Amino acid sequence: MDEPATLDEGLDALLESYHPPEGVADELLRADGSIRPGWEPLITHLARHDPADIAQDFARGDQYLRDAGVYFRHYTAEGSTVRNWPLSHLPVIIAEEEWDTLAAGLAQRAEVLEKVMADLYGPGDLVRRGLLPASLVASNPEWLRPMVGVQPRDGHYLHVLAFEVGRSPDGGWLVLGDRTQAPSGAGFALENRMATARIFHDFMPDANVRRLAGFFREFRDAMNALRQSGEGRVAILTPGQHTDTYFEHAYIARYLGFLLLECEDLRAVDGRLMVRTINGLEPVSVLWRRLDSRSADPLELDETSALGTPGLVGTLRNRSVSMLNALGSGVLEARALMAFLPRIAQALTGAPLALPNIATWWCGQDKELSYVRENFEKMMIGRAMSTQLPFDIDSATALGGRFRSSAHPPVRQWLDAEGHDLVAQQAVTLSTTPAMIDGQLVPRPMVVRVFAVRTPQGWTVMPGGYARIGKTEDPTALAMQAGGSVSDVWVTGGKPADFDSLVATRKGPFIRRMPGRLPARAADNLYWLGRYVERANAQIRALRAYHLRLETAGPTPMPMMRELGKHLATFGKAPDPATQPVPASLLALMDATGFCAGKVRDRFSDDGLHALDDLSHEVRRIAKDSRPGEETARNMGRLLRILAAFAGISNDNMFRFSGWRFMTMGRAVERGIQMCSLLHRFATPEAPQGSYDLCIEIGDSVMTHRRRYSVEINRNTLIDLLALDPENPISLVFQVNLLRAQQLALPHRQFTTQLSPVARALLTLHTDLSVASPETLGTDDFLTLRSELWAISDSITAQYLS
């Protein structure tokens, strides 16, 4: 399609398929069909561009998200899988005057929720005054009795909130749900903005879009201020990498410079919360909780929780740590609370809610139940304690008088039998917003998630957020799990937005700040990441050698091939050349590598993660498609080049902090162990013919041997080069020297006057290798050396990682 001859023609072509439903507010078009002022610059920009150019710009944003590793976890009956982030490329645009009014209403609502929370876990006046039924509190599974009377150290229960808001048919905004438990999405909103900036690289700089960085800077500074005395760490507590929002947890931790912890990293010691680091226990004074309250402490809240830290509640009771948000704050998310919040707000603040929430009726009251029975066909009816939003309809929810499943009683009968446990809300008619689907501009239902954080100046609302966009016109299919997508939200004004960044300009002398202590769990995963990568490297090299020789092996395997098969069996079941050129053990190694890398996303480079992903995908492709012999050997070479890229990224780009040292030590330990295994099997005088050449080949030292020695490979040259040469990065002694250098650079607070067990064992091993010669190293000595390396690995774990 050529560029339109006129702008009007371009606009007509763009809006040809855009027909919002009748009776629904639309973000783009007024009721008379004219374009809203905030949207006009963007729509004009799109109309001036060829559809192919627009598609290319959209692809640029998608590529950014893939390169950044942004994903969400999709759950099905068969399990969970990682999916690409489903960006809807067009932003939702809201004028700053309208947004400022919305933000003020949400700030007021946040303060009301804070007061409700303080009362529910304090004096209980709301129940005593009849403003809130006692049964709604007592029956709420998120109301935690052990937290009653536990005063937050900083005096506030709520610090970070999210609100689901939608536009009603009359054009006003309604609150559809409050997210107070562990609100997610702020990091995703930032990534949406990064992707959208690439899509509209030639438009957005002049579009007067408010920036997000200042919001995050204020939040970071507020969290740091909660340390009070300045002691202790600020950390984000995540359930782990199998939660659907783990990417965001790791991203925010890296972006704000905070520790990312799991509950196993924490210990409650003498009423204080401590994190296990490679240098021992260190205090945590501020904890941003991203897991549900009940899971946080199996000692006092849920004894079945495998995620929690025993004694965590005790540290809160001792007021030694500030938690965002307070445990038990999920009580505010119940649908039924919305029925009482307007009256509560009036009673607590003397003013009505500036921003109304969706009309809600708790069916445990006679008058409200009677009203719902007469009007249920216009409502959504579900569980009173549910935290689902009005548009998240499941089989246990009635909408328009009907269930999605037939296995339910009639609605009136259901209301009469279980009214006390039910809540009714007005059926949501969501506004629509433009989405580009299959090259056409179409209206799709949307809801906006807005974020607010507490700062010393009061509640600050993010100037934007993210919108959930429906896959179809069905307003009940907004969730990503149901195929929905997400969009950036632009707040635009009539003048250029002020420049802002996360890093504020500081006065005074420059200070180089060093990284904080490394949590033991992160060190453990980096250490084993190094080991698994090097183990994969050794196995791939052996597989390449195996398949190179498979072409000429003949019907009767040579003795050397049998020995090579036995060597491969040490990694797992040996490959069957006829049916399985790539063994399952290599696939399992890829899974283990990915697991360890996923646990340290906040401490590892994106390029390194991409290299590991490429390696894993390529291994699986080869396992599926490759034929035994020369083709598989070539593919193994391709895998080695990807591993070389990973090694280059790790060595050239990673900051030499303790995490890099542990990964390097893991690689050195594993390379040393694999070299011992190789030499034990193939550097023996009884080894089959060709074994020495095989050993040099797997050891990647063929050219070096030719340059170093003017003789054919023999046992002495083999052992000298692969075991005792300190200049050969493949050799055993090189690995021991590398281990010693990295171990000396680690903290040694526990051993100030004598060598640590790890240092002592490394010194002993180094001495033994330094005085050895090819003639004095027997075949069984390599088994002894391998055992010593395993013992050193165990000592590293005991001293630093456990």
Side-chain angles (χ1 to χ4, degrees):
M1 175 179 172
D2 296 330
E3 185 173 333
T6 68
L7 179 59
D8 288 341
E9 290 178 3
L11 288 171
D12 290 342
L14 187 64
L15 298 174
E16 182 180 5
S17 57
Y18 196 81
H19 305 294
E22 292 186 9
V24 173
D26 182 68
E27 297 299 314
L28 173 61
L29 300 180
R30 298 188 182 98
D32 62 4
S34 60
I35 299 175
R36 296 184 187 274
W39 282 88
E40 192 165 345
L42 178 62
I43 296 301
T44 301
H45 169 80
L46 294 173
R48 284 174 173 159
H49 284 71
D50 184 272
D53 294 334
I54 295 174
Q56 188 175 21
D57 288 339
F58 288 176
R60 183 184 293 110
D62 293 336
Q63 186 62 51
Y64 164 79
L65 293 171
R66 286 192 294 270
D67 290 344
V70 187
Y71 71 90
F72 78 102
R73 190 168 288 277
H74 181 71
Y75 296 95
T76 63
E78 292 75 30
S80 65
T81 56
V82 169
R83 299 286 183 87
N84 290 331
W85 188 244
L87 180 69
S88 181
H89 303 97
L90 297 184
V92 173
I93 300 178
I94 302 175
E96 63 180 1
E97 296 83 1
E98 182 179 20
W99 183 265
D100 289 342
T101 301
L102 175 64
L106 293 177
Q108 181 217 29
R109 188 180 186 89
E111 199 55 39
V112 170
L113 292 173
E114 167 72 25
K115 293 178 181 296
V116 172
M117 184 73 179
D119 181 79
L120 293 179
Y121 288 98
D125 289 337
L126 293 176
V127 171
R128 189 176 299 108
R129 295 167 59 185
L131 296 172
L132 191 62
S135 60
L136 280 187
V137 179
S139 63
N140 192 323
E142 295 300 330
W143 184 67
L144 304 181
R145 188 177 295 275
M147 300 307 300
V148 174
V150 178
Q151 294 288 327
R153 185 175 73 164
D154 68 312
H156 298 293
Y157 291 84
L158 302 177
H159 305 81
V160 53
L161 301 173
F163 304 94
E164 306 284 352
V165 299
R167 196 188 293 276
S168 64
D170 64 5
W173 290 97
L174 291 173
V175 176
L176 306 177
D178 304 300
R179 289 291 173 249
T180 57
Q181 171 80 272
S184 64
F188 288 128
L190 189 57
E191 283 289 31
N192 289 342
R193 175 60 55 86
M194 300 292 285
T196 307
R198 281 159 174 78
I199 292 171
F200 298 103
H201 59 96
D202 55 347
F203 171 77
M204 193 172 174
D206 299 320
N208 302 338
V209 181
R210 285 193 188 175
R211 297 174 180 268
L212 304 182
F215 170 84
F216 287 98
R217 187 188 67 249
E218 290 186 40
F219 183 39
R220 180 201 60 193
D221 294 346
M223 288 184 68
N224 283 325
L226 290 176
R227 291 189 300 171
Q228 295 180 352
S229 63
E231 297 181 356
R233 308 296 296 277
V234 180
I236 298 174
L237 183 63
T238 175
Q241 63 176 317
H242 293 296
T243 186
D244 56 349
T245 55
Y246 178 72
F247 170 84
E248 187 209 9
H249 303 168
Y251 177 81
I252 283 288
R254 183 191 300 183
Y255 184 68
L256 297 180
F258 296 144
L259 281 177
L260 182 66
L261 303 179
E262 297 181 23
C263 285
E264 65 183 83
D265 295 320
L266 298 169
R267 296 286 184 272
V269 180
D270 297 329
R272 300 189 70 190
L273 191 62
M274 314 292 284
V275 57
R276 294 185 306 116
T277 75
I278 60 173
N279 204 36
L281 295 174
E282 297 192 0
V284 173
S285 59
V286 182
L287 197 62
W288 182 7
R289 173 178 60 85
R290 304 303 299 271
L291 77 165
D292 290 346
S293 297
R294 283 194 170 275
S295 303
D297 187 346
L299 192 64
E300 295 203 48
L301 301 178
D302 182 359
E303 62 183 12
T304 66
S305 172
L307 297 176
T309 300
L312 179 60
V313 171
T315 66
L316 296 171
R317 194 175 287 122
N318 194 47
R319 304 187 74 179
S320 64
V321 61
S322 296
M323 179 170 283
L324 289 64
N325 292 324
L327 292 178
S329 54
V331 68
L332 302 176
E333 294 186 357
R335 283 173 170 172
L337 181 64
M338 282 193 165
F340 302 93
L341 204 60
R343 187 181 172 200
I344 289 173
Q346 184 72 47
L348 294 181
T349 68
L353 287 174
L355 192 67
N357 52 237
I358 186 172
T360 305
W361 299 267
W362 177 50
C363 300
Q365 299 167 297
D366 292 339
K367 181 180 177 181
E368 284 74 12
L369 176 60
S370 176
Y371 180 80
V372 172
R373 289 182 83 259
E374 296 303 320
N375 296 276
F376 67 87
E377 292 182 348
K378 304 174 184 177
M379 299 177 176
M380 184 282 300
I381 303 173
R383 292 294 170 185
M385 294 300 110
S386 172
T387 61
Q388 286 184 308
L389 296 169
F391 48 82
D392 291 332
I393 309 300
D394 56 22
S395 59
T397 302
L399 178 63
R402 293 186 299 273
F403 292 97
R404 289 192 170 181
S405 170
S406 59
H408 286 277
V411 174
R412 282 197 177 92
Q413 181 179 335
W414 185 43
L415 286 167
D416 291 339
E418 303 183 45
H420 194 275
D421 295 326
L422 301 177
V423 68
Q425 293 180 300
Q426 69 181 84
V428 177
T429 304
L430 296 176
S431 64
T432 54
T433 193
M436 191 72 77
I437 300 177
D438 297 329
Q440 290 189 316
L441 197 67
V442 295
R444 287 292 180 260
M446 69 101 191
V447 63
V448 177
R449 175 167 288 195
V450 188
F451 303 92
V453 296
R454 183 185 295 280
T455 70
Q457 292 73 41
W459 288 97
T460 296
V461 177
M462 180 190 291
Y466 78 81
R468 285 197 275 174
I469 310 296
K471 181 180 181 181
T472 66
E473 295 179 356
D474 181 5
T476 67
L478 294 182
M480 287 186 291
Q481 300 293 334
S485 57
V486 295
S487 175
D488 192 11
V489 176
W490 291 2
V491 177
T492 61
K495 60 181 181 179
D498 295 332
F499 175 81
D500 210 342
S501 70
L502 186 67
V503 181
T505 302
R506 296 183 180 274
K507 298 180 180 180
F510 170 78
I511 299 175
R512 174 180 292 161
R513 300 191 182 277
M514 299 304 293
R517 301 295 189 192
L518 181 68
R521 177 188 54 83
D524 187 41
N525 280 284
L526 287 164
Y527 176 76
W528 278 98
L529 174 61
R531 289 203 60 173
Y532 289 141
V533 166
E534 194 55 44
R535 191 175 300 175
N537 180 69
Q539 185 174 8
I540 290 169
R541 290 187 179 280
L543 280 167
R544 181 172 66 171
Y546 184 94
H547 284 280
L548 281 173
R549 289 158 177 78
L550 193 63
E551 296 286 341
T552 58
T556 302
M558 296 181 295
M560 193 265 290
M561 286 292 286
R562 287 196 295 268
E563 284 300 308
L564 183 51
K566 292 178 182 179
H567 178 67
L568 284 168
T570 63
F571 297 98
K573 185 179 179 182
D576 180 353
T579 60
Q580 192 184 22
V582 177
S585 56
L586 185 57
L587 297 175
L589 265 179
M590 294 299 98
D591 291 337
T593 301
F595 177 83
C596 288
K599 298 277 275 187
V600 289
R601 287 192 70 98
D602 61 313
R603 296 179 175 273
F604 206 65
S605 73
D606 289 336
D607 288 334
L609 290 170
H610 290 321
L612 290 178
D613 286 341
D614 291 345
L615 178 67
S616 181
H617 292 153
E618 189 68 5
V619 167
R620 282 164 172 76
R621 184 195 66 79
I622 295 170
K624 181 180 179 182
D625 301 331
S626 189
R627 291 173 296 182
E630 185 180 353
E631 181 181 342
T632 296
R634 288 198 309 270
N635 285 327
M636 292 299 110
R638 185 176 298 112
L639 295 181
L640 290 174
R641 290 189 288 275
I642 298 175
L643 276 170
F646 171 80
I649 291 168
S650 301
N651 288 321
D652 292 346
N653 299 341
M654 284 187 69
F655 186 81
R656 267 34 176 186
F657 74 124
S658 295
W660 177 85
R661 300 188 191 284
F662 276 100
M663 187 173 68
T664 301
M665 291 169 69
R667 296 194 69 183
V669 166
E670 189 65 35
R671 181 169 285 191
I673 289 172
Q674 294 301 330
M675 184 56 70
C676 288
S677 297
L678 190 69
L679 293 173
H680 167 70
R681 186 172 297 277
F682 295 106
T684 172
E686 296 78 22
Q689 184 178 1
S691 293
Y692 294 168
D693 295 279
L694 173 72
C695 208
I696 287 289
E697 178 187 327
I698 294 176
D700 197 24
S701 298
V702 174
M703 295 299 296
T704 304
H705 188 278
R706 290 175 183 172
R707 289 194 300 267
R708 290 287 303 275
Y709 308 99
S710 59
V711 297
E712 292 185 355
I713 302 173
N714 58 54
R715 186 177 186 277
N716 285 343
T717 61
L718 178 65
I719 293 177
D720 183 58
L721 184 59
L722 296 187
L724 301 178
D725 191 335
E727 303 302 323
N728 184 4
I730 305 296
S731 74
L732 177 58
V733 72
F734 188 95
Q735 311 315 313
V736 175
N737 290 339
L738 183 58
L739 279 167
R740 291 188 69 207
Q742 300 309 321
Q743 194 269 337
L744 285 172
L746 293 175
H748 299 89
R749 186 176 64 187
Q750 295 169 301
F751 305 95
T752 56
T753 60
Q754 59 181 333
L755 290 177
S756 70
V758 175
R760 188 180 299 114
L762 283 170
L763 179 60
T764 301
L765 180 55
H766 176 265
T767 302
D768 292 342
L769 289 172
S770 297
V771 300
S773 67
E775 294 87 349
T776 61
L777 278 178
T779 302
D780 291 340
D781 288 332
F782 289 109
L783 289 181
T784 302
L785 292 168
R786 186 176 67 180
S787 297
E788 291 179 14
L789 282 168
W790 272 107
I792 288 170
S793 180
D794 291 341
S795 293
I796 290 172
T797 298
Q799 182 172 329
Y800 297 105
L801 310 179
S802 64

